[in-house]
Amino acid sequence: MVGQLRSTVIDCPDPRALAAFYAELLGLQVAEEDSDGDEWVVLGGPVGRHPRLAFQQAPDLRPPAWPDPERPQQFHLDVTVSDIEVAEKAALALGARRLPGEGEGFRVYADPAGHPFCLCWD
């Protein structure tokens, strides 16, 4: 092993707003001690001990366009849920939008900045 995953970093125009979306979606807290104003915001616990998401300001971000290969998704998060209907309603209320595409056990959405993510169930 070379190292341990520290954070998954997501570029976005407004890190505070997108962090607030994912804080509600995933039940994670803002780690203010690891954040830097409105340009770098971290969710999660101490480094190496909890899942962490970081949001980095990218004012000129060209968001992905699902499923357009000219503007690929670049990455996505899979979020496990127990009741897809309840979870979908909550995600949409937070500002997510449904995207084309779903399969057995998952549906595709975009976060408020346009990044795709999936709600998954068994």
Side-chain angles (χ1 to χ4, degrees), residues 53-120:
L53 284 175
F55 303 88
Q56 173 175 271
Q57 189 173 49
D60 297 324
L61 178 74
R62 231 179 122 212
W66 179 274
D68 182 356
E70 293 298 315
R71 290 175 47 199
Q73 65 179 331
Q74 302 160 9
F75 84 98
H76 76 271
L77 300 176
D78 286 343
V79 179
T80 300
V81 299
S82 57
D83 183 325
I84 184 57
E85 301 306 328
V86 170
E88 176 176 272
K89 188 178 287 187
L92 294 174
L94 289 170
R97 62 186 164 84
R98 184 85 183 267
L99 294 176
E102 66 180 90
E104 189 173 325
F106 74 93
R107 291 183 189 165
V108 183
Y109 303 83
D111 68 23
H115 302 103
F117 69 95
C118 295
L119 295 180
C120 307

Side-chain angles (χ1 to χ4, degrees), residues 5-10 15 18-31 34-35 40-46 50-56 75-79 111 117:
L5 179 64
R6 179 181 183 96
S7 301
T8 299
V9 180
I10 300 173
L18 196 55
F21 170 82
Y22 278 106
E24 288 294 321
L25 187 72
L26 301 173
L28 295 173
Q29 298 294 316
V30 173
D34 295 329
S35 298
W40 178 264
V41 181
V42 178
L43 296 181
H50 298 280
R52 292 168 51 95
L53 284 175
F55 303 88
Q56 173 175 271
F75 84 98
H76 76 271
L77 300 176
D78 286 343
V79 179
D111 68 23
F117 69 95

